[in-house]
Amino acid sequence: MSHHRWIIGAGFVLMLSGLLHSLVGLGSGASWEGSVSIRKPILFGFSTGLSMISLGWIQRKMRPANYDAIGSPLFAIAMLIEVALISMQFWRGEASHFNHSTPFNYAVDRVMTGLIVFAAIVILDLTRRSFKFIQAKQEMQLAIRAGMALLSISCGIGFFIFFYGEHLVSLNQAPEKFGKAGVMKFPHGVVIHAIQLFPVLVWAMRKLNIRSEKRLELLRFSIASTTAFLIFSLIQTYSGRARFDLGLAGAVALIITFVLLVPVIKGFFSAVQDQFRRWHRQSLNSL
């Protein structure tokens, strides 16, 4: 079995888990909010599964490393166990994160933390390797490298959430908030799926027959816009503001985000128009 297939296979299993929990949620009326909610096994199933499929696809484009034969299966198993523990805690009626209520819950929390540390090491290593060699065209190389870099940043933010959340728990405070209303998960979630976003953008631009130089230009604007939105989310969260409770700095970052996005929207709109004109001409010629 090729090494990347372990990661992709685990991703599909996790996606299936997310789907099954979605059906349970729809059929049972289980709560979607709070620390014990069906939202967690659904979210982690789909999000982690999609990330694993993407990482396996990216690893397939890299030069193999000697440790892939061990590292890839271990990574796949670690993520399966991680999401299984989150799902188990839901079915037990217990919070999966920051839960120190019993020795067992504390042990589960610590095992999950260890698995995430291992996963972050694997992701950082894949990020490093992606900047050495990627078997892909120039714009896809950039899409993968930017996506991996932002995923690594998301992992770093996740560790801050963990350490600061543990501090808040020790003070008997809710671990989800920073300051008055900052949403700790906001910046973590903003860029975690950039490894899907940028390659899909490249694929869409190819389908629309956008020329190579233009694809690179629009991709760079997309990366810049996403980075600006990450900065916006960091400003909002760590100034203790809710997601869209705008102050001056947050408003400026959000405006920059949309300004950088304008060329991308215009480029796609123009390409769709060109495709429609071609289709219309071909339809007329076939009459």
Side-chain angles (χ1 to χ4, degrees), residues 9-279:
F12 279 112
V13 171
L14 293 174
M15 294 282 282
L16 178 61
S17 172
L19 176 61
L20 292 175
H21 280 95
S22 297
L23 295 175
V24 170
L26 291 171
S28 67
S31 172
W32 290 75
E33 299 297 332
S35 59
V36 182
S37 70
I38 201 162
R39 172 183 54 85
K40 283 202 168 185
I42 292 172
L43 177 65
F44 279 90
F46 281 124
S47 180
T48 309
L50 188 59
S51 295
M52 293 292 283
I53 292 168
S54 300
L55 289 169
W57 171 74
I58 289 169
Q59 189 192 49
R60 184 168 62 89
K61 294 181 175 294
M62 296 177 175
R63 289 195 180 98
N66 293 331
Y67 47 81
D68 282 344
I70 297 174
S72 295
L74 287 178
F75 180 43
I77 293 166
M79 291 298 92
L80 288 171
I81 294 172
E82 174 76 13
V83 178
L85 290 174
I86 291 168
S87 301
M88 178 193 73
Q89 290 296 78
F90 162 74
W91 289 105
R92 292 182 65 238
E94 296 283 351
S96 54
H97 296 87
F98 303 112
N99 188 347
H100 304 169
S101 60
T102 67
F104 182 77
N105 287 330
Y106 182 79
V108 169
D109 182 72
R110 285 298 175 261
V111 170
M112 290 196 301
T113 300
L115 294 170
I116 287 298
V117 169
F118 173 68
I121 292 170
V122 173
I123 289 168
L124 287 171
D125 181 63
L126 289 173
T127 302
R128 175 190 65 82
R129 289 165 61 185
S130 74
F131 280 85
K132 288 189 172 182
F133 176 80
I134 287 287
Q135 189 177 1
K137 292 185 178 179
Q138 186 179 8
E139 66 268 19
M140 189 59 81
Q141 289 180 11
L142 177 60
I144 290 170
R145 287 165 179 162
M148 290 299 299
L150 289 173
L151 177 60
S152 295
I153 290 170
S154 180
C155 289
I157 295 170
F159 281 113
F160 175 80
I161 292 171
F162 168 75
F163 287 115
Y164 190 73
E166 287 289 323
H167 169 68
L168 292 176
V169 168
S170 71
L171 300 175
N172 292 318
Q173 297 178 18
E176 299 86 8
K177 298 286 186 181
F178 187 94
K180 184 179 179 181
V183 181
M184 295 272 275
K185 294 180 290 186
F186 183 31
H188 174 63
V190 159
V191 293
I192 198 169
H193 289 298
I195 55 169
Q196 290 89 42
L197 173 63
F198 298 144
V200 167
L201 279 174
V202 170
W203 173 84
M205 287 189 288
R206 288 175 181 172
K207 289 295 182 182
L208 290 170
N209 293 318
I210 298 174
R211 67 184 190 277
S212 179
E213 297 82 3
K214 189 68 174 178
R215 291 199 298 264
L216 269 172
E217 179 188 333
L218 296 182
L219 178 60
R220 289 182 180 121
F221 272 112
S222 299
I223 294 167
S225 177
T226 304
T227 303
F229 193 61
L230 171 62
I231 293 169
F232 161 75
S233 69
L234 290 168
I235 290 170
Q236 292 300 108
T237 299
Y238 299 121
S239 61
R241 293 178 176 270
R243 286 182 176 92
F244 295 102
D245 174 21
L246 298 179
L248 177 60
V252 170
L254 193 59
I255 289 169
I256 292 171
T257 298
F258 285 111
V259 168
L260 291 168
L261 197 58
V262 168
V264 181
I265 296 170
K266 287 177 65 178
F268 269 86
F269 184 72
S270 177
V272 169
Q273 282 186 314
D274 290 342
Q275 287 290 92
F276 179 78
R277 290 191 192 103
R278 289 192 199 100
W279 172 81

